[in-house]
Amino acid sequence: MLKILLLFTYMYVGTSNAILYDCFTGEPVNRTLLRIYQERDAVANCTVEIKPCDPTEWRRVDGSCNNLKYPSRGTQRTPSHRVLPPVFSHDYEPRKAVSGESLPLPRRLRTQLLLVGRTTDMKLTQLFSYYVLFMISDVLSSHDIINYLQNITTCCTPEGQNNYNCIPIKVPVDDPVHRFSGVRCLNLTRPQSFQTFKCLDNGTTFARIVFQTPLFDLSHIYEYRPGFINRLRTFENGLMKIEEEDGELFPPTDPNSNYCYQNQRPKETRCHMYQVNNVLGSNLWIILLYRHHNQIARELYRLNPSWDDERLFYTARDINMAISVQIYFYELLPIIFGKRNMIRDGLIGRGEGFRDLYDETIEPRMSDEYFFGMRWFHMIQKTNMKLYDKDGYYIKTYPMANVTARTGFFAVDNNMQHIIQGSFRQLGGTFDWTVDYDMADRLLGGILFSSDATTSDIKKGRYFGMQSYVNYKEFCTNRKYTSFADLKDSFSEEGLYRLMEAYKDPKDIELMAAMWLEKPVKGGRIPETLYCLLTEQYRRSIKSDRHWYERPNRPHAFTEEQLKAIRKVTIAGMLCAIGDFVTEIQPHAFFGISPSNPLTKCSSSRIGKLDLTPWKECN
Ligand SMILES: *[C@@H]1O[C@H](CO)[C@@H](O)[C@H](O)[C@H]1NC(C)=O
Ligand SMILES: *[C@@H]1O[C@H](CO)[C@@H](O)[C@H](O)[C@H]1NC(C)=O
Ligand SMILES: *[C@@H]1O[C@H](CO)[C@@H](O)[C@H](O)[C@H]1NC(C)=O
Ligand SMILES: *[C@@H]1O[C@H](CO)[C@@H](O)[C@H](O)[C@H]1NC(C)=O
Ligand SMILES: *[C@@H]1O[C@H](CO)[C@@H](O)[C@H](O)[C@H]1NC(C)=O
Ligand SMILES: *[C@@H]1O[C@H](CO)[C@@H](O)[C@H](O)[C@H]1NC(C)=O
């Protein structure tokens, strides 16, 4: 009886039997709530419409119906998980130091704790950082950056001081760089939340809003916004719309878009109509994996001419997603997490077979600590990008900061080709205390005069309400840390000394500041606490995803042979397949070219390429 009553109060939308869900609570919207949202003009921002789930259907593009009990979990605007609850002072302003004073100025902390320079990692290529960026933009939207680049540009003016959404960064007068430039303020806006979009009342606990699906599902390629996928499909043989320019293939363009801030017009006009136009490394892989879809679809059609468009499209997409995750978990992450650590902690399997860790009681969500922790990788980004031609000859060096939000650059002067060649020939930045010049003082190229990724990281951590480093450390190790001396095993002597100079009490230490200096996890290359927080998320990503590619009993699951074929694919094989004019590459392309990892013809069996014959149906 109760159930029937409840059903009647759900808000059915149109005639499609779709139900309206509240993004924040994940519950169906009742009349009372609908009226409130209508009054606030917030229905579109705070709710999501979901057609009834079919347990046997493919992974939906909008992320819905992943969890059959909570169909809206997995869509855009799914609220974040918190490893530790947020802490603030009054009115959701940053927490204070133990002494009651404000925490140190973020820019001062950054200049005190980090060195600025350009270092080279003797092992890893630039491709490594590009792929990391690509994987983060699958789950994280850049709405906060767009907000201060496009919507609220006055944060450093007197007007901005009265704007609640502004949280400008103060630059000390004795700043090592800006005492010469005269800049006293860097632009930044408050992170957007469910409160910003009026989905929660003001004064309730800050809850960050994110516009990507909280799943590794290539939602930055297939477009997470409900219904948008139909604009990308041709509805013929599983293909997506693709355009050619300068001999290269790209996702559809919108020449009138104003999101490619740095396109040099009139020469550069290309700007993705649906995909984000963001930082270079991520944008490069968005273009490449978009192309990959069509390549897979064509081959599937050749093998199975009887398959219809729907089957070709969803199979190609499923393979594309699986490969992107396989490369990330099995090829990239072991380099910095340590393969043994990953096996021990259940992030990867030991053998080639299926794995099933699915737990329907865990909702698909990303943690704020994950998003925040991934910012640590700003430290390894090297920004002087080297371009090479297809025969491996060095052409020139180009500042990466100038290519942010500049999709047009890829489509002229064979730049796409040259960036790809450079990505596996140039070595990347090291994992140390050094941050690259342009990350520290330029970042957004010609869009803003100056900005500092690492200082913004500290400042954002405060507005995300991140707890003290020692609390996270306790979460990770189950031990208490009450004095600086308790931390001595996790830092070098100088590292700890620097933290003691910057903070008066161990409880004051901020998560990011500590991770800049913390020792790497045993057997890996990233800081211990970062390892712990990222692992916490990846475990949830695997357990909560009903469509996780390694599961034997998900809808349309791979066969054993098919999974094996997925596992053979490497980043080198991908570049051979979709990188323009890549004819030779080192087999382990996240590592530099060396005598044990030499340039090898793409046709060699040492290059892990995708073989789709296991998808051929016998008839
Ligand atoms: C409607 O939904 C809101 C929020 O989910 C809830 O607080 C309220 O009790 C519901 N009202 C009714 C009549 O069910
Ligand atoms: C949110 O709603 C406002 C109207 O209140 C609208 O202008 C805005 O575009 C919406 N934002 C999004 C992201 O849908
Ligand atoms: C920012 O501006 C764009 C258009 O300039 C608008 O579509 C968007 O809704 C704005 N976002 C917010 C949060 O105001
Ligand atoms: C919260 O405060 C902001 C800024 O003062 C205001 O624009 C917004 O309408 C308020 N939201 C609600 C739900 O009252
Ligand atoms: C990069 O951008 C800066 C700032 O707009 C500009 O001064 C510089 O000339 C640009 N460099 C190149 C190679 O285009
Ligand atoms: C802050 O933003 C304004 C408006 O876009 C810009 O004029 C100013 O140069 C920016 N400040 C810095 C330090 O980049």
Side-chain angles (χ1 to χ4, degrees):
M1 182 60 197
L2 185 67
K3 201 158 189 182
I4 293 170
L5 218 73
L6 275 177
L7 274 176
F8 275 115
T9 58
Y10 288 178
M11 301 317 302
Y12 287 96
V13 186
T15 51
S16 60
N17 278 340
I19 293 181
L20 207 56
Y21 285 84
D22 181 37
C23 289
F24 184 74
T25 61
E27 300 288 340
V29 172
N30 62 29
R31 277 173 215 288
T32 323
L33 189 59
L34 186 66
R35 207 168 313 119
I36 293 172
Y37 283 160
Q38 278 166 341
E39 278 164 16
R40 293 180 185 174
D41 193 15
V43 180
N45 283 332
C46 304
T47 67
V48 55
E49 192 183 312
I50 298 174
K51 295 205 184 95
C53 303
D54 169 358
T56 65
E57 71 189 315
W58 293 96
R59 181 197 286 279
R60 286 194 187 174
V61 181
D62 67 7
S64 63
C65 294
N66 194 303
N67 188 303
L68 296 170
K69 246 189 178 150
Y70 300 99
S72 72
R73 294 306 195 218
T75 67
Q76 61 165 338
R77 297 184 238 127
T78 294
S80 311
H81 173 83
R82 285 299 290 228
V83 174
L84 296 180
V87 291
F88 296 97
S89 58
H90 61 94
D91 294 339
Y92 303 98
E93 290 299 321
R95 71 179 167 96
K96 300 282 186 205
V98 171
S99 67
E101 290 165 28
S102 296
L103 289 166
L105 287 182
R107 172 78 180 184
R108 189 184 296 289
L109 269 176
R110 203 281 282 156
T111 53
Q112 222 176 335
L113 295 177
L114 294 180
L115 307 179
V116 175
R118 199 159 273 161
T119 55
T120 298
D121 189 283
M122 295 313 291
K123 282 197 171 145
L124 299 180
T125 54
Q126 284 282 50
L127 185 58
F128 180 89
S129 62
Y130 294 175
Y131 205 78
V132 168
L133 280 168
F134 171 71
M135 291 304 288
I136 183 78
S137 70
D138 186 339
V139 288
L140 182 62
S141 43
S142 43
H143 58 282
D144 277 332
I145 297 182
I146 290 172
N147 199 30
Y148 72 84
L149 289 183
Q150 189 165 326
N151 292 43
I152 307 173
T153 55
T154 51
C155 286
C156 283
T157 64
E159 182 193 338
Q161 279 173 4
N162 300 321
N163 187 339
Y164 173 78
N165 293 311
C166 282
I167 51 166
I169 294 170
K170 193 172 167 194
V171 178
V173 285
D174 57 351
D175 188 84
V177 168
H178 289 305
R179 65 182 141 162
F180 301 114
S181 73
V183 167
R184 290 287 156 265
C185 170
L186 304 176
N187 292 294
L188 198 67
T189 48
R190 197 178 281 269
Q192 291 175 296
S193 61
F194 281 91
Q195 286 85 358
T196 316
F197 286 83
K198 300 185 195 164
C199 308
L200 288 178
D201 291 332
N202 290 330
T204 52
T205 303
F206 166 85
R208 186 139 186 261
I209 197 162
V210 174
F211 295 88
Q212 285 287 356
T213 62
L215 294 152
F216 295 107
D217 58 357
L218 297 184
S219 51
H220 47 348
I221 287 178
Y222 294 96
E223 191 35 73
Y224 58 89
R225 283 174 288 179
F228 272 61
I229 186 60
N230 294 340
R231 307 187 192 179
L232 284 168
R233 287 176 64 176
T234 62
F235 293 100
E236 233 175 275
N237 298 341
L239 298 172
M240 304 233 280
K241 292 178 187 163
I242 203 154
E243 295 173 1
E244 194 180 320
E245 185 165 341
D246 195 28
E248 318 256 5
L249 296 172
F250 293 98
T253 192
D254 173 8
N256 299 320
S257 165
N258 51 2
Y259 286 106
C260 291
Y261 306 99
Q262 295 209 84
N263 270 359
Q264 303 291 304
R265 292 170 191 272
K267 189 173 175 191
E268 300 170 3
T269 55
R270 182 158 282 279
C271 196
H272 304 315
M273 186 180 290
Y274 302 108
Q275 288 75 21
V276 280
N277 298 277
N278 55 7
V279 290
L280 174 118
S282 164
N283 204 351
L284 176 71
W285 277 96
I286 285 174
I287 298 166
L288 287 175
L289 281 185
Y290 191 95
R291 294 176 179 179
H292 197 220
H293 174 95
N294 275 7
Q295 203 179 67
I296 300 170
R298 277 206 190 85
E299 177 66 6
L300 288 174
Y301 178 62
R302 198 184 63 78
L303 293 169
N304 300 295
S306 66
W307 284 13
D308 64 6
D309 168 70
E310 197 77 354
R311 183 158 183 201
L312 288 166
F313 173 79
Y314 278 99
T315 309
R317 172 171 169 265
D318 193 47
I319 295 170
N320 210 14
M321 290 184 293
I323 290 173
S324 74
V325 178
Q326 166 73 24
I327 289 176
Y328 189 56
F329 275 75
Y330 284 85
E331 188 176 3
L332 187 148
L333 290 181
I335 302 171
I336 52 170
F337 277 50
K339 188 171 173 187
R340 275 195 207 159
N341 293 338
M342 289 183 75
I343 292 174
R344 180 197 61 215
D345 292 337
L347 302 187
I348 56 176
R350 219 174 277 276
E352 290 214 312
F354 292 112
R355 294 202 304 154
D356 193 356
L357 303 175
Y358 182 60
D359 180 346
E360 64 174 1
T361 64
I362 303 175
E363 294 177 9
R365 292 191 194 218
M366 301 301 294
S367 71
D368 275 348
E369 283 82 356
Y370 179 78
F371 293 137
F372 186 65
M374 289 303 283
R375 295 178 162 273
W376 177 87
F377 287 92
H378 283 144
M379 297 279 292
I380 66 154
Q381 185 67 67
K382 189 171 182 170
T383 65
N384 58 335
M385 175 174 64
K386 293 191 180 173
L387 304 183
Y388 287 79
D389 77 6
K390 65 182 184 348
D391 301 314
Y393 291 105
Y394 168 77
I395 303 174
K396 64 177 173 190
T397 299
Y398 200 84
M400 195 181 286
N402 290 39
V403 192
T404 302
R406 188 176 167 190
T407 302
F409 181 80
F410 289 94
V412 297
D413 301 334
N414 294 327
N415 283 332
M416 182 80 187
Q417 251 184 66
H418 300 161
I419 294 170
I420 293 172
Q421 289 288 338
S423 72
F424 60 86
R425 293 174 191 274
Q426 183 185 7
L427 293 170
T430 24
F431 293 58
D432 61 7
W433 309 3
T434 322
V435 58
D436 183 283
Y437 308 113
D438 277 9
M439 295 304 289
D441 286 307
R442 236 162 60 83
L443 189 64
L444 294 162
I447 312 175
L448 290 183
F449 178 72
S450 178
S451 40
D452 174 357
T454 35
T455 296
S456 300
D457 293 345
I458 293 281
K459 183 102 180 180
K460 286 190 172 183
R462 295 179 185 180
Y463 284 88
F464 290 173
M466 290 298 161
Q467 292 199 16
S468 160
Y469 164 69
V470 293
N471 295 356
Y472 283 105
K473 191 84 185 155
E474 182 179 335
F475 166 82
C476 293
T477 63
N478 259 323
R479 298 217 302 266
K480 289 244 181 266
Y481 301 86
T482 52
S483 69
F484 282 108
D486 291 344
L487 293 169
K488 68 177 184 336
D489 292 341
S490 297
F491 297 89
S492 69
E493 223 177 308
E494 189 191 346
L496 192 56
Y497 181 77
R498 283 181 181 230
L499 285 177
M500 288 165 68
E501 276 189 319
Y503 295 102
K504 295 203 180 93
D505 190 289
K507 285 204 185 63
D508 294 346
I509 304 176
E510 287 165 278
L511 180 58
M512 186 59 75
M515 292 196 305
W516 285 341
L517 305 177
E518 197 182 31
K519 283 187 185 165
V521 62
K522 221 170 152 190
R525 298 189 66 183
I526 55 170
E528 291 166 349
T529 304
L530 183 60
Y531 174 87
C532 157
L533 294 175
L534 301 188
T535 297
E536 194 270 348
Q537 174 57 48
Y538 291 138
R539 243 192 252 125
R540 177 172 37 258
S541 296
I542 298 168
K543 288 184 176 176
S544 67
D545 188 353
R546 193 165 58 86
H547 294 281
W548 184 258
Y549 76 108
E550 294 177 295
R551 297 191 67 210
N553 44 2
R554 67 185 175 115
H556 307 278
F558 293 136
T559 64
E560 218 163 296
E561 289 307 303
Q562 290 170 350
L563 182 59
K564 250 190 206 156
I566 298 285
R567 294 208 193 279
K568 285 223 171 71
V569 183
T570 60
I571 196 79
M574 289 289 283
L575 284 178
C576 281
I578 43 180
D580 324 273
F581 302 101
V582 175
T583 52
E584 52 174 15
I585 190 168
Q586 65 275 34
H588 304 287
F590 290 131
F591 288 106
I593 300 165
S594 72
S596 60
N597 192 29
L599 283 175
T600 305
K601 288 257 170 295
C602 281
S603 54
S604 161
S605 62
R606 296 186 56 212
I607 304 289
K609 291 177 296 281
L610 176 61
D611 172 11
L612 286 170
T613 42
W615 277 265
K616 183 173 168 60
E617 276 186 335
C618 355
N619 34 20

